[in-house]
Amino acid sequence: GNLDERMIKSEIPELNQLSLSFNRMAESIEGIEQRRRELISDMTHELRTPLTVVRGYLEEMAEGQIQPSDELYNRLIRETRRLERLVNDLQELSKAEAGYLVINPQPLNLRPLLECLVARFGDQLLEDGPVINLDCPSNLPTVFADLDRTEQILVNLLGNAIRYTEIGSITLKVWQNLNFVWVAVIDTGVGISEIDLPHVFERFWRGERSRSRQWGGTGIGLAITKRLVELQGGKIEVESELGKGSIFRFCLPIT
Ligand code: ADP
């Protein structure tokens, strides 16, 4: 409604049109400013926690209240690594949110990329951990997508699937539907509750915070992943059941 209120009515239709577009522009700039403020306030909050932990330990050590120990050093290293990861992720996220991520789409054959990732992730898995399967037709059409960004999407989804699956399997299922190729990352892990599910793509959102923190999560991966999929003209969906597993699937347009 405030668009109409602010509009100065004129006898000249061109002027009305101009005034309308000007107001629209002003509103969209306000929106960008608002999002920037929110991002900075969220970022500050996320960075402060590990910083407080590190400073706290260092001060106590300096004052002789606690003795340096291997455990303490490991704790400090862990928190500093977390800070480093956060800064890297935040840089990607802010680029994505500001629309500065450069997407360089080309005809891309997904199968070799998927085979390569399955091999790479498979090597990292523990012997008693989950196994990774690839279910991909050989006659898949090429998609029009950016290789590096698509790899980033898959690395994020596979990384999560592995992180949140202790036993069982992770399956990469690929199929064509109309003008899109779909990739589903299916795991048999901890799953996500119905209440939590609508929030998984929000930045900084983490399921059961303390547990995720122990697993080194930053809550940024899926927010970036969603942006990367949408920037390439695709969409991403999730289905999950607590204790049973999750399915994250996304699509990319066919060439
Ligand atoms: P994080 O770095 O915490 O993993 P993400 O943005 O990648 O951040 O994911 C956000 C949250 O979504 C995670 O903290 C986790 O609770 C939940 N999540 C993501 N992927 C999975 C999965 N495959 N299985 C269960 N939970 C998941």
Side-chain angles (χ1 to χ4, degrees), residues 160-161 163-164 187 190-192 200 205-207 212 216-223 246 248:
N160 277 350
R163 206 139 35 106
Y164 299 109
D187 71 52
V190 294
I192 303 159
V200 290
W205 187 88
R206 257 170 272 152
S212 294
T218 59
I220 300 175
L222 284 178
S246 314
F248 282 87

Side-chain angles (χ1 to χ4, degrees), residues 2-241:
N2 52 358
L3 253 187
D4 301 331
E5 284 159 32
R6 274 198 261 160
M7 204 173 122
I8 306 154
K9 280 269 151 58
S10 161
E11 297 293 305
I12 311 159
E14 282 83 2
L15 266 187
N16 280 336
Q17 198 53 46
L18 202 67
S19 147
L20 191 67
S21 0
F22 180 77
N23 280 331
R24 286 219 177 99
M25 222 161 72
E27 287 204 338
S28 106
I29 291 170
E30 260 170 49
I32 292 170
E33 259 312 305
Q34 170 75 14
R35 281 201 296 281
R36 202 214 304 277
R37 273 197 300 273
E38 280 168 13
L39 178 64
I40 288 175
S41 120
D42 286 353
M43 274 165 49
T44 317
H45 174 83
E46 289 299 312
L47 290 171
R48 190 169 287 137
T49 317
L51 269 177
T52 308
V53 172
V54 170
R55 194 195 44 151
Y57 280 126
L58 287 175
E59 279 178 359
E60 283 180 37
M61 264 205 275
E63 287 161 12
Q65 287 170 349
I66 50 169
Q67 294 306 311
S69 67
D70 284 353
E71 199 200 324
L72 199 54
Y73 283 129
N74 283 334
R75 184 81 208 269
L76 287 169
I77 291 170
R78 234 186 7 250
E79 289 297 331
T80 343
R81 288 223 175 105
R82 200 182 135 67
L83 270 170
E84 198 173 38
R85 245 193 336 266
L86 263 169
V87 171
N88 288 339
D89 283 358
L90 287 172
Q91 189 179 27
E92 281 291 297
L93 181 71
S94 70
K95 272 198 242 164
E97 302 227 327
Y100 288 150
L101 271 189
V102 182
I103 301 282
N104 199 354
Q106 290 167 22
L108 175 67
N109 191 355
L110 281 180
R111 204 179 138 109
L113 173 63
L114 294 168
E115 280 168 348
C116 178
L117 286 172
V118 166
R120 199 207 300 170
F121 276 90
D123 286 344
Q124 290 172 17
L125 290 175
L126 301 174
E127 231 166 74
D128 55 353
V131 292
I132 307 187
N133 312 303
L134 176 60
D135 177 359
C136 176
S138 51
N139 59 347
L140 202 66
T142 56
V143 291
F144 193 62
D146 181 310
L147 172 64
D148 292 334
R149 301 307 180 191
T150 306
E151 178 169 345
Q152 205 177 345
I153 294 167
L154 287 160
V155 166
N156 285 350
L157 294 181
L158 270 173
N160 277 350
I162 290 168
R163 206 139 35 106
Y164 299 109
T165 306
E166 260 146 35
I167 45 164
S169 67
I170 290 146
T171 306
L172 270 171
K173 194 173 158 49
V174 191
W175 69 97
Q176 178 189 355
N177 183 19
L178 304 172
N179 296 325
F180 291 90
V181 168
W182 284 86
V183 181
V185 181
I186 306 161
D187 71 52
T188 59
V190 294
I192 303 159
S193 73
E194 218 176 304
I195 304 165
D196 289 345
L197 207 54
H199 302 289
V200 290
F201 294 111
E202 287 168 17
R203 66 172 180 240
F204 304 123
W205 187 88
R206 257 170 272 152
E208 229 178 284
R209 288 185 160 246
S210 55
R211 188 179 58 186
S212 294
R213 172 150 289 174
Q214 175 206 321
W215 284 337
T218 59
I220 300 175
L222 284 178
I224 295 176
T225 304
K226 186 169 193 280
R227 290 275 164 168
L228 292 178
V229 172
E230 288 171 354
L231 278 170
Q232 303 192 82
K235 62 177 174 178
I236 186 163
E237 299 169 349
V238 58
E239 239 177 77
S240 189
E241 201 176 324

